[in-house]
Amino acid sequence: MFLKKVFLLLILFVLISFDFTYALCSSSHSCILIDNESARILYSKNINSKQLIASTTKLMTFLIAYENGNLDDYYIVSEEVLKMYGTSIYLSIGEKVSLRDLLYGLILRSGNDASVVIANNVGKSYDHFIELMNKKAKEIGMRNTIFKNPHGLDEESENYSTSYDMALLSRYLHKIPFYLEVSSTKHYMMKSDLKTYDWYNRNKLLSLYKNTISGKNGYTPRAGKTLVSGAMKNNLSLSAVSLDDGDIYNTHIKLYDYGFNTFSRYMVVNKDEFFYEDKYYGGRLYVEESFYYPVKENEVDKLNILVQIIKDVDLNVSNKVGNLIVYLDNEEIYREDLFIEKEEVKKDKGFFDKILDFFRKIF
């Protein structure tokens, strides 16, 4: 009887563990939930598995266009659009369209035609645009990503990435107000010199989940359904990614519900209230930035702060005198410079001050 109870408890434990590990992303090959401010990974599954990413490619296309183009510039549509298929905004050859409107069409309607017009006009050439995409990926830290086109179609060329890399891209994009403006827009109308467009956002998560603030979905038969999105609640900004996922919207809703119900944005270091009197230099130290981190309720007591002083700094040259290091459960999660207040920095120390400094260094 005792062994039977133990066996049943073991089965129950396995079922609970299975549910926690896989239930949130049971329909996806790979998924991740990440905090946009700190980059802390809150949930993960196969996050370094390389996958075709379909039209979520257009997030990098958007970024390169935004950082290298002028939103108010107008481009003339040429025959490059004739080779495009799949989702489209139906541009006409000879039509004059602004980069701003092309980016709305790119994100809201996943316009493959818009992507090639952008790639051919931003930068020196189409190939140069792809080079910029890959260069930016490396700058962001997307180590397992390769772009070969600006749209995500994968019959002639293939774009590969991981859910972790795409989360880094989403996190980067969340620093750009124009991206949040475009990707959160549900309805957009624009006029070119030839016709009027009336677009509704293809990202259904905007309607299904009220805390959604961004997103781009994608699909090809080979890649499956993909989605990169962002949501915000209680000052906690998160990004979710799922690749090759048959139920993308429910996956993201479950991920966000888990994140917002489990983690809180906690102020670990308040720059306005931080106080440390340093005995070595004889002055008050300060930090330039406050530090917030998403933590579970039972993790707050596991946070520790270490002040590390750098000795023999020439205060006439620099007032950086150390580092502030934050640990969570003995793992370093943050590091910031420590400075001594300017009024404490003496440009020309007197004879007795130099003697005191000498003995401080000895003892």
Side-chain angles (χ1 to χ4, degrees):
M1 187 68 180
F2 174 76
L3 290 176
K4 185 177 180 180
K5 288 183 178 179
V6 171
F7 181 71
L8 290 173
L9 287 172
L10 182 61
I11 292 176
L12 180 62
F13 175 78
V14 170
L15 288 173
I16 293 173
S17 299
F18 178 84
D19 180 68
F20 176 79
T21 306
Y22 296 104
L24 297 185
C25 295
S26 59
S27 60
S28 67
H29 175 82
S30 171
C31 78
I32 190 171
L33 181 68
I34 191 172
D35 173 51
N36 288 326
E37 188 170 4
S38 67
R40 182 181 186 184
I41 298 172
L42 309 184
Y43 188 88
S44 64
K45 175 186 175 183
N46 297 332
I47 61 173
N48 293 311
S49 174
K50 289 186 179 182
Q51 301 289 309
L52 292 167
I53 56 174
S55 284
T56 55
T57 292
K58 296 183 175 84
L59 293 175
M60 181 59 82
T61 304
F62 178 101
L63 177 57
I64 298 304
Y66 176 81
E67 292 191 341
N68 294 273
N70 186 325
L71 295 177
D72 296 320
D73 280 353
Y74 281 80
Y75 303 143
I76 304 297
V77 178
S78 61
E79 293 184 357
E80 72 262 51
V81 298
L82 298 179
K83 298 179 181 179
M84 287 295 97
Y85 56 93
T87 52
S88 174
I89 58 174
Y90 304 103
L91 296 168
S92 300
I93 295 175
E95 189 173 6
K96 187 178 179 181
V97 188
S98 72
L99 177 58
R100 182 187 305 275
D101 289 334
L102 285 170
L103 290 176
Y104 270 94
L106 182 79
I107 299 299
L108 270 66
R109 298 306 300 168
S110 200
N112 293 325
D113 49 356
S115 72
V116 292
V117 173
I118 291 169
N120 280 333
N121 287 278
V122 176
K124 300 175 183 178
S125 65
Y126 179 93
D127 289 339
H128 180 244
F129 189 89
I130 304 303
E131 289 177 9
L132 292 176
M133 292 175 74
N134 287 297
K135 181 181 178 182
K136 193 65 183 183
K138 291 181 180 178
E139 290 177 5
I140 294 175
M142 301 170 70
R143 306 302 179 198
N144 294 302
T145 297
I146 181 69
F147 292 106
K148 293 187 177 180
N149 64 61
H151 40 70
L153 296 173
D154 49 37
E155 292 185 359
E156 296 181 4
S157 58
E158 301 169 331
N159 298 335
Y160 281 93
S161 189
T162 66
S163 59
Y164 176 70
D165 281 6
M166 294 303 290
L168 294 181
L169 175 57
S170 178
R171 178 177 180 243
Y172 188 94
L173 283 165
H174 275 78
K175 300 175 184 177
I176 302 174
F178 182 64
Y179 168 71
L180 296 176
E181 173 190 322
V182 173
S183 63
S184 63
T185 297
K186 293 182 179 180
H187 180 222
Y188 185 75
M189 293 186 67
M190 58 80 68
K191 289 184 178 182
S192 72
D193 61 331
L194 296 182
K195 49 192 172 182
T196 299
Y197 293 86
D198 189 4
W199 294 325
Y200 287 87
N201 202 318
R202 293 170 60 91
N203 176 20
K204 296 179 182 179
L205 192 65
L206 288 169
S207 299
L208 295 173
Y209 192 70
K210 66 178 182 180
N211 297 307
T212 305
I213 58 173
S214 70
K216 177 73 189 78
N217 60 333
Y219 170 79
T220 68
R222 294 180 61 202
K225 294 180 180 179
T226 62
L227 178 62
V228 177
S229 70
M232 188 168 186
K233 183 179 180 181
N234 298 328
N235 293 319
L236 192 62
S237 176
L238 308 179
S239 282
V241 180
S242 60
L243 303 178
D244 191 9
D245 186 349
D247 197 12
I248 50 176
Y249 298 120
N250 280 328
T251 294
H252 283 234
I253 290 171
K254 287 187 287 186
L255 283 170
Y256 287 129
D257 281 345
Y258 165 74
F260 292 130
N261 291 332
T262 308
F263 295 86
S264 299
R265 185 173 183 259
Y266 184 77
M267 180 183 279
V268 184
V269 179
N270 185 339
K271 68 181 181 67
D272 297 321
E273 297 180 2
F274 178 78
F275 181 87
Y276 186 83
E277 284 285 352
D278 175 54
K279 295 180 181 179
Y280 182 83
Y281 289 101
R284 179 176 177 176
L285 306 186
Y286 69 92
V287 293
E288 293 183 333
E289 301 290 338
S290 296
F291 172 57
Y292 296 85
Y293 201 68
V295 294
K296 299 177 182 178
E297 186 176 351
N298 63 355
E299 290 181 325
V300 175
D301 293 336
K302 298 177 182 179
L303 289 164
N304 291 293
I305 298 175
L306 173 68
V307 171
Q308 184 181 71
I309 301 299
I310 302 173
K311 296 185 178 180
D312 301 329
V313 172
D314 185 349
L315 298 181
N316 293 305
V317 178
S318 171
N319 66 327
K320 176 190 171 182
V321 295
N323 299 290
L324 180 145
I325 308 171
V326 179
Y327 294 89
L328 174 59
D329 205 13
N330 298 319
E331 179 182 351
E332 181 178 328
I333 59 172
Y334 181 71
R335 181 181 290 253
E336 184 175 351
D337 293 338
L338 275 173
F339 302 91
I340 191 166
E341 290 183 348
K342 292 182 179 180
E343 59 266 25
E344 302 290 347
V345 178
K346 299 178 181 180
K347 293 184 178 180
D348 186 16
K349 291 189 176 184
F351 175 74
F352 290 106
D353 288 327
K354 292 179 180 178
I355 292 177
L356 287 173
D357 282 349
F358 173 77
F359 282 105
R360 286 193 187 106
K361 292 174 185 177
I362 295 176
F363 298 101

